[in-house]
Amino acid sequence: MAKSNRTRREIRRGSRHHSQSSLCFSVASVVLVWLLFAGCGGPPKHPTWTNATGAEQYERLMWKSIRDGDWKNVEYRLAPMFVGVDERGQVSNRESWVQHWKTSQIREFSLAEVSVQPEGADMVVTYLLQLSYVSTANRSADKGLRVVSVWQQVKKGWILTATTITPVA
């Protein structure tokens, strides 16, 4: 009988140990799977002004807003003291910059060779820009443009503080 009691105790102890091991393994598995998928989100496939994660996305959203005539978002994202230099070398403030693009009627745009450099609370974005216009009169869309933009982080998100556009020879 003593042998039988001892065996039962060992079985109960082993059973308790097995339950604790199973629980630990289950918890560890759930945590591991969560950690694997937590980093898989990446940048959004279709960024918007509310879910964009970087200056390159903001730059693309700005050109999309210009192309689509979404002037409310264009004006909202330009800093009050914004300064722009267009492809003709014309210096513009915020209001004249918006007016310039309102009359341009962009059909499509593409960005290439994008580089983003952090500078404290700012992000400097450089890239090549190709624009195609609804009307090709007085435009050199086929040459491409070199753009340098400066985005600054503020309480309400990111705003564009300066942009220069230079024709590529």
Side-chain angles (χ1 to χ4, degrees):
M1 177 105 173
K3 184 176 181 180
S4 162
N5 282 342
R6 192 175 73 194
T7 305
R8 284 185 196 152
R9 269 187 259 136
E10 287 173 358
I11 291 172
R12 275 187 258 151
R13 213 177 308 141
S15 196
R16 192 177 322 134
H17 177 70
H18 179 70
S19 296
Q20 289 173 344
S21 294
S22 294
L23 179 63
C24 287
F25 179 75
S26 296
V27 169
S29 297
V30 168
V31 169
L32 180 63
V33 168
W34 181 81
L35 287 173
L36 285 173
F37 286 111
C40 292
K45 289 185 180 182
H46 303 288
T48 64
W49 288 110
T50 55
N51 71 2
T53 59
E56 179 179 349
Q57 289 178 346
Y58 288 121
E59 197 69 26
R60 290 181 188 279
L61 287 167
M62 180 61 80
W63 285 110
K64 182 180 182 303
S65 293
I66 291 170
R67 180 197 64 198
D68 297 346
D70 182 5
W71 305 114
K72 180 181 175 187
N73 265 318
V74 171
E75 291 174 5
Y76 185 76
R77 304 298 172 188
L78 291 178
M81 299 304 292
F82 173 84
V83 176
V85 179
D86 68 18
E87 65 272 19
R88 297 177 317 245
Q90 182 69 41
V91 178
S92 300
N93 63 15
R94 185 175 188 259
E95 290 75 27
S96 58
W97 186 258
V98 171
Q99 191 57 41
H100 168 75
W101 292 110
K102 280 184 177 181
T103 60
S104 295
Q105 297 181 323
I106 295 173
R107 182 178 354 157
E108 202 51 64
F109 68 92
S110 66
L111 279 61
E113 299 180 25
V114 179
S115 172
V116 179
Q117 300 296 320
E119 272 304 317
D122 300 336
M123 290 287 190
V124 178
V125 186
T126 60
Y127 56 93
L128 286 176
L129 174 67
Q130 285 289 153
L131 295 175
S132 62
Y133 297 91
V134 173
S135 169
T136 57
N138 301 325
R139 299 290 181 187
S140 55
D142 57 335
K143 289 189 177 179
L145 304 164
R146 172 65 64 189
V147 180
V148 178
S149 291
V150 180
W151 288 84
Q152 185 174 61
Q153 189 172 22
V154 294
K155 286 183 182 180
K156 60 182 179 179
W158 289 84
I159 57 173
L160 185 59
T161 60
T163 297
T164 63
I165 300 175
T166 308
V168 176

